[in-house]
Amino acid sequence: MSKTKIIHKKKEKAKIGWKEWCALPLLNIKEIKAKIDTGAATSALHAIVLNISTYNDQTYIRFKVFPHQSDKYASKICKAPLVAKRSIMSSNGIKEKRYVIKTILVIGKNSFETEITLTDRSPLRYRMLIGRMALKKRFLIDPSLAHVQGRPLYNFGW
């Protein structure tokens, strides 16, 4: 009786650059430019928290997002289940309490669930930052490139 050896092929990682176009379909955000940041554990989204409410034993957070870097007026009102409130060390070394949501993130043809913190990124150039927990085991980063994956291909049904 011969034994059959099973070979597991590793999934090839998608290549991304130092900045990429993304989509957040559950938040109705078709596209947003994001900076890739392996120094940050969790991803961050520029948002202004409007309110927190509970419905059927689930806590939700409602917030305003400004998805385009140079547009201070075109905002989207979003709602998502609240996962946690965590203390996060910002890039300037100051700890701040941030609300955490879990949602679908789309980068090119890649779609996956990830945690995102909500914070005021208004003084920063990019409205979204993608941290290493979202990148882990999915992407190979080439810092000499940008927008490798192109605009999101997620079908929103529009």
Side-chain angles (χ1 to χ4, degrees):
M1 185 180 230
S2 68
K3 290 185 179 181
T4 305
K5 189 174 185 178
I6 299 172
I7 300 171
H8 295 283
K9 189 177 178 183
K10 278 189 173 181
K11 185 180 174 189
E12 194 170 315
K13 295 178 183 179
K15 186 185 281 190
I16 58 173
W18 70 274
K19 61 181 176 177
E20 290 291 337
W21 284 101
C22 303
L24 299 164
L26 298 180
L27 302 180
N28 204 19
I29 296 174
K30 289 183 182 183
E31 61 183 25
I32 185 168
K33 243 187 244 184
K35 181 180 176 188
I36 306 305
D37 186 353
T38 59
T42 313
S43 300
L45 177 65
H46 172 61
I48 298 168
V49 174
L50 300 174
N51 68 347
I52 296 170
S53 59
T54 303
Y55 179 75
N56 285 345
D57 295 327
Q58 173 65 56
T59 304
Y60 293 89
I61 186 164
R62 204 164 67 93
F63 51 97
K64 188 186 289 192
V65 176
F66 298 88
H68 302 290
Q69 288 171 246
S70 57
D71 195 338
K72 296 177 185 174
Y73 304 104
S75 64
K76 293 230 181 230
I77 304 295
C78 304
K79 185 177 179 180
L82 181 61
V83 174
K85 188 173 184 180
R86 292 191 196 131
S87 187
I88 305 284
M89 181 77 73
S90 65
S91 59
N92 62 6
I94 297 171
K95 278 192 174 186
E96 70 172 317
K97 288 277 190 183
R98 291 188 193 171
Y99 293 106
V100 182
I101 63 167
K102 192 177 276 192
T103 193
I104 300 294
L105 175 62
V106 179
I107 303 174
K109 295 178 183 176
N110 300 282
S111 176
F112 52 93
E113 188 176 60
T114 192
E115 288 187 351
I116 299 174
T117 64
L118 306 178
T119 188
D120 181 1
R121 293 185 54 80
S122 55
L124 303 169
R125 187 166 181 194
Y126 291 90
R127 300 299 176 136
M128 186 167 182
L129 180 135
I130 301 176
R132 67 179 173 271
M133 297 307 284
L135 301 167
K136 193 169 146 180
K137 298 182 183 177
R138 292 184 179 98
F139 299 101
L140 182 64
I141 305 158
D142 185 337
S144 69
L145 301 174
H147 307 299
V148 176
Q149 293 295 314
R151 303 250 184 188
L153 301 175
Y154 191 84
N155 181 1
F156 284 73
W158 293 318

